[in-house]
Amino acid sequence: MRIEHIELRQITMRLVAPFETSFGVELDEEHIIVRVDGEGLTGWGECVASRDPFYSYETNQTAWHILRDYLIPAILSQDLASVDDASTKWARVRGHEMAKAGIESALWDWFAKARGVSLAQLLGGTRDRIAVGVSVGIQASPAALVARVENYLREGYARVKLKIAPGRDLPFVAAVRRAFPNLLLQVDANSAYTLADLATLRALDDFDLLLIEQPLSHDDIFDHHKLQRELKTPICLDESILSLADARAAIELNSCRIINIKPGRVGGFTESKRIHDFCAAHGVPVWHGGMLESGIGRAGNVALASLPNFTLPGDISASKRYYVEDLVEPEFTVDARGTMAVPTQPGIGVTVIAERLERATTRREEFK
Ligand code: NPQ
Ligand code: MG
């Protein structure tokens, strides 16, 4: 099978509300949508790099460069029997996991459609609904945060994650815990602390949190090992895990007890599955992270999160939590029990709304 045509589009999507993390405030999200065509079938993927190199070193500009100059030429008009066939052809490109995941996800959709199966089926999913949570940005005050959380709970979310940063942590978490004693609650620091903040991090141990996500440096595994020894709450790594090798090191060093899987961060669904399987074999639960994907990327996330070791609710929220208008139909919704349906149609199982994609597009390039 051959891909005869590929299209890249950079899109800008306005968020329903600003999203503040330890990196700063985000008003709209810019991603790259990858479309592959061949054999009369279309595959869609999303690259989750951002405008700025804050969460990861990748940006839309670096991803566009790597896609245009390396990944697309490696596979265009080549004979491909599987996704692995394609990724083997770009294996010598180091890093740039988000660029790789962008095109790899489009190929997974394309192969799933060619086989007439849903992406969830092709990936080995075992659930028809997944448990989902919501990631709540830093708010102006603890009271504002409690109000925000209350709104999300009314929408059905099964778990809440609070973004924290130095100086905007303990009183915020304490207020939410006091207001909702039984809530499944976790926090994400996005690498904003060091071991010098041990007293604060120890204090987080008193809030009965499911996990503390990425407290220390984005590229650290060793200090997280030292920190995990001091805490009863499980550490969950996000930014530090770019591959199966990183996951293995973190688990063997007891640097974390839970892993957040984002296909964009680890180079795609294939590496995500490897990490999922390794964690399952070692009794380490995983959950699916989020990168404010449009419905295109979100559909892939939902499919991956239907695998059996995704036992904790994911950062996979309803379309309307992030965007006024999603790029796909049907949009993603959350029910009163905090679950989301896994699409069953072939491939990603949702339809891209062409005019919305066109309106969101700020840059476009075709390859034949
Ligand atoms: C996380 N996601 O788990 C990421 C963080 C993230 C849903 O919490 C621009 C700037 C886009 C910062 C997307 C959630 C971002 C961003 C995701 C941070 O760490
Ligand atoms: Mg995170």
Side-chain angles (χ1 to χ4, degrees):
M1 294 175 50
R2 281 166 201 261
I3 300 285
E4 291 122 26
H5 187 267
I6 299 179
E7 179 190 69
L8 298 182
R9 286 173 182 261
Q10 188 169 314
I11 56 162
T12 299
M13 296 182 70
R14 174 50 53 118
L15 293 165
V16 291
F19 184 59
E20 182 165 2
T21 68
S22 59
F23 308 125
V25 186
E26 204 66 15
L27 298 174
D28 42 39
E29 194 59 24
E30 294 176 8
H31 283 171
I32 297 169
I33 301 299
V34 182
R35 174 181 171 155
V36 300
D37 282 281
E39 316 290 339
L41 297 164
T42 299
W44 294 97
E46 181 163 344
C47 168
V48 299
S50 304
R51 179 175 39 234
D52 308 306
F54 301 160
Y55 169 85
S56 139
Y57 66 85
E58 292 188 79
T59 66
N60 287 315
Q61 292 213 53
T62 70
W64 197 282
H65 159 53
I66 296 299
L67 282 158
R68 180 186 55 199
D69 297 329
Y70 296 97
L71 308 181
I72 290 172
I75 62 153
L76 199 58
S77 303
Q78 303 287 310
D79 223 359
L80 305 175
S82 64
V83 176
D84 276 355
D85 242 12
S87 46
T88 302
K89 296 187 189 297
W90 65 60
R92 66 191 175 132
V93 176
R94 294 209 177 147
H96 298 284
E97 288 81 9
M98 291 176 176
K100 289 172 179 168
I103 190 160
E104 199 238 33
S105 55
L107 292 170
W108 273 98
D109 181 34
W110 186 69
F111 276 107
K113 285 169 175 162
R115 278 160 215 181
V117 299
S118 70
L119 180 57
Q121 273 176 281
L122 193 59
L123 289 169
T126 53
R127 274 187 270 266
D128 60 1
R129 298 191 73 87
I130 58 162
V132 298
V134 61
S135 172
V136 187
I138 294 171
Q139 304 294 315
S141 66
L145 179 60
V146 169
R148 214 7 105 86
V149 168
E150 192 165 19
N151 269 324
Y152 287 131
L153 293 179
R154 240 181 264 124
E155 290 174 22
Y157 290 103
R159 177 228 77 191
V160 169
K161 162 166 136 180
L162 306 178
K163 292 289 190 178
I164 57 167
R168 297 147 100 186
D169 42 39
L170 301 176
F172 289 77
V173 181
V176 172
R177 179 46 90 207
R178 205 176 315 117
F180 310 103
N182 301 317
L183 174 63
L184 296 182
L185 186 65
Q186 63 195 54
V187 296
D188 186 358
N190 286 117
S191 306
Y193 297 84
T194 71
L195 286 177
D197 300 306
L198 187 58
T200 301
L201 296 167
R202 272 215 184 98
L204 288 172
D205 242 353
D206 296 334
F207 297 117
D208 194 22
L209 302 175
L210 282 171
L211 57 90
I212 300 172
E213 184 176 345
Q214 196 71 37
L216 308 179
S217 182
H218 69 97
D219 57 358
D220 170 79
I221 289 180
F222 183 54
D223 280 358
H224 281 102
H225 152 80
K226 291 191 183 172
L227 178 60
Q228 182 67 89
R229 284 195 311 220
E230 306 295 321
L231 301 178
K232 24 179 229 298
T233 309
I235 290 175
C236 169
L237 291 179
D238 174 356
E239 284 92 324
S240 296
I241 307 297
L242 303 181
S243 64
L244 173 61
D246 290 339
R248 185 169 57 76
I251 289 167
E252 289 188 8
L253 281 168
N254 297 309
S255 302
C256 65
R257 296 192 204 125
I258 297 174
I259 286 182
N260 160 330
I261 295 181
K262 293 175 180 170
R265 200 192 62 230
V266 304
F269 292 129
T270 304
E271 193 73 0
S272 298
K273 269 167 60 71
R274 288 192 191 110
I275 295 171
H276 165 275
D277 294 350
F278 181 85
C279 288
H282 289 77
V284 173
V286 303
W287 57 282
H288 203 299
M291 290 299 291
L292 281 53
E293 289 87 349
S294 79
I296 295 172
R298 189 176 315 254
N301 295 353
V302 173
L304 181 64
S306 73
L307 270 67
N309 194 37
F310 282 87
T311 52
L312 294 166
D315 276 351
I316 304 179
S317 304
S319 299
K320 69 171 186 188
R321 183 263 174 263
Y322 289 114
Y323 301 110
V324 178
E325 284 191 333
D326 206 339
L327 298 181
V328 303
E329 58 190 2
E331 66 174 348
F332 288 92
T333 57
V334 176
D335 71 4
R337 292 170 44 249
T339 74
M340 188 178 278
V342 180
T344 54
Q345 297 297 307
I348 58 172
V350 290
T351 306
V352 176
I353 303 170
E355 64 272 17
R356 287 193 190 166
L357 177 61
E358 183 61 29
R359 247 186 289 132
T361 300
T362 57
R363 179 182 182 187
R364 186 171 164 275
E365 193 168 341
E366 286 181 75
F367 307 84
K368 304 186 198 224

